[in-house]
């Protein structure tokens, strides 16, 4: 999970830089950044977290919880 943390820091740094761009450029770059972040989470990190819940960087925030009756 350390690798994901380092990637997250780089992506957050990219976000800061992108937000300094003119609006017409910023929108396209932010969309691309969001797609990369989504792909990183849903395709790579989430499957690991589901199998190894103790590695979830957000605690149990994204874990499916059984319905309580």
């Amino acid at each position: 999970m350390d690798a994901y943390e380092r990637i997250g820091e780089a992506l957050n740094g990219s976000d800061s830089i992108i937000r300094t761009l003119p609006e017409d450029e910023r929108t396209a770059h932010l969309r691309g950044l969001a797609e990369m972040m989504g792909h990183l989470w849903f395709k790579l990190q989430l499957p690991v977290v589901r199998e190894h819940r103790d590695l979830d960087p957000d605690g149990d925030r994204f874990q499916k919880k059984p319905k309580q009756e």
Side-chain angles (χ1 to χ4, degrees):
M1 296 311 275
D2 184 53
Y4 291 115
E5 186 174 323
R6 290 193 314 266
I7 291 169
E9 289 171 3
L11 293 175
N12 287 336
S14 299
D15 178 71
S16 296
I17 293 167
I18 290 170
R19 291 186 185 278
T20 67
L21 298 172
E23 187 174 348
D24 58 330
E25 292 179 48
R26 181 175 54 230
T27 301
H29 288 283
L30 284 174
R31 187 174 293 117
L33 181 62
E35 289 174 10
M36 285 192 305
M37 293 172 84
H39 187 78
L40 174 69
W41 173 251
F42 288 107
K43 299 292 183 178
L44 299 174
Q45 194 173 2
L46 184 60
V48 172
V49 167
R50 282 198 173 137
E51 188 171 336
H52 305 280
R53 292 176 185 262
D54 58 316
L55 297 177
D56 188 350
D58 297 309
D60 64 355
R61 184 172 167 187
F62 295 104
Q63 301 297 331
K64 290 184 179 178
K65 297 178 183 173
K67 292 183 180 181
Q68 294 182 2
E69 297 178 22

